[in-house]
Amino acid sequence: MHRWVKSVADIAVIVALVVAAKTAIAEPYYVPSGSMEPTLQIGDELLATKFPYGYSSASLPVFVTLPESSRILGALPHRGDVVVFRWPGDRSQIWVKRVVGLPGDRIEMKDGRLCVNGAEVELTPDGIGQNESEDGSREPVERYIETLPGGRAHTIFKHTTIGQFDNIPELTVPKGHLFVMGDNRDNSADSRVPLDMGGVGLLPVSDLVGRVDALVGSWDLAAKHQPVWEWPAALRLSRFFTTVK
């Protein structure tokens, strides 16, 4: 009886340590869609570091869903940070986007060009990329380097000259909120899309889970339709343990 109780206690301690680590330090997540291409690819496994923005109920492991709460040791992201957050429409869902607007920033879209505080962000053509769909198909797409105020640069995809959300009137990001966008600009339900239309809307800071600093692995999910012996070839080894900018 004593051994049985000790074994259960040991298991409970291990589980508690794992939950604590996932809550306080970092937790891995898979990328299921192409909304953040080319920065993140479908099938990437990213690591969300939790301590940079403080802690709230959103910081708990993904299988634990509690109502929204205030943050302790809270800090705002920097413009350009790639963040993981609980989707305000269903806090059991984990989404990933890039922060482009902080509280007090004025955000506008003009003909597909992001404007921050009245100035168009720098956008430099960077050739042609390959956009991957969930079924594994690929199509060529124009690639650009976007440089946010403060100098943070990242790559984006642009499919069309003028898309559905390429023109939005100027708005001021309210206190306690962020404006987030996907790097795949014409394939992302982000802050340009209202919550009741399936987007993010203005993201409450309290829903932040953590900052994406690195990938720990990557696997081409299209390979699941291939024979199992071909699956190892779908590992994207060049993306293992790489940083995310």
Side-chain angles (χ1 to χ4, degrees), residues 175-188:
K175 182 179 179 180
H177 291 75
L178 304 166
F179 197 98
V180 297
M181 295 180 72
D183 291 347
N184 197 346
R185 288 295 162 82
D186 297 317
N187 186 26
S188 177

Side-chain angles (χ1 to χ4, degrees), residues 218-221 223 230-237:
S218 185
W219 187 68
D220 186 349
L221 294 185
E230 295 185 12
W231 288 6
L235 290 171
R236 303 186 185 111
L237 297 179

Side-chain angles (χ1 to χ4, degrees), residues 5-34:
V5 172
K6 184 177 185 303
S7 295
V8 171
D10 289 344
I11 293 171
V13 169
I14 292 171
V15 170
L17 288 173
V18 170
V19 170
K22 284 190 171 186
T23 300
I25 303 174
E27 188 171 6
Y29 300 94
Y30 281 99
V31 178
S33 76

Side-chain angles (χ1 to χ4, degrees), residues 142-158:
E142 292 187 359
R143 187 173 59 207
Y144 296 87
I145 302 296
E146 184 177 75
T147 304
L148 296 171
R152 290 281 292 274
H154 56 274
T155 309
I156 68 169
F157 278 168
K158 197 77 180 71

Side-chain angles (χ1 to χ4, degrees), residues 5 23-24 39 55 113 128 156 195 207 214 224:
V5 172
T23 300
T39 304
Y55 304 98
R113 193 77 170 262
I128 301 296
I156 68 169
L195 189 61
D207 283 332
K224 64 185 178 183

